[in-house]
Structure formats: C-alpha cells, structure tokens
Amino acid sequence: MPPKNPARPRHNVFEAAATYVTASVEEDPDRLDEAAGWVAPDALAFGINELACRAVAALARERDEPVEAVARRLLGLPAAGPA
C-alpha cells in the first residue's frame, strides 16, 4: 500500500537558487517562500552566489567586457578607477 503522504521531491541547491531568484524577479512571494524551504539557508546563499557569478561571467563574455565592469553596471555603481 503506498504511503498517504509521499515524501516531497528533493531539490538541489541550484534548483532552489534558480527558483528563488526567478520568484524574486517576478515578485512571487509564495514561490519565493517555497524555494527558500527546499534547502538550508546557507546552501541557498551559496547557490544564489554561484548563479550571480555565472550570470555576470556569461554577460561579460557576450558583451566582450571585463567582468567587473558588467557587475558594477548591473548594480548601478560607477566604473572602477585605475587599480
């Protein structure tokens, strides 16, 4: 006989991060809360960081621009001065 409450599907940190960021952009608080419950908070933070790094690197490659310039522009920061 099958269990009455089957276990919820398991999600990995990257699924949680992708769903969390998407829900944030789409302003969907229910989906945001759902994704936040899939993994531990520190794992979610790691996944979001990894997603951000990969996204900025991909944009920089597409635009043939330095990663720092793309990251700063996305955050609305002025261009970095000389090092």
Side-chain angles (χ1 to χ4, degrees), residues 10 24 35 62 82:
R10 296 184 63 93
S24 181
E62 284 179 13

Side-chain angles (χ1 to χ4, degrees), residues 9-33:
R10 296 184 63 93
H11 299 278
N12 72 38
V13 64
F14 298 116
E15 289 174 317
T19 300
Y20 187 90
V21 169
T22 300
S24 181
V25 170
E26 294 174 351
E27 298 180 3
D28 183 344
D30 294 333
R31 191 79 169 135
L32 200 66
D33 290 343

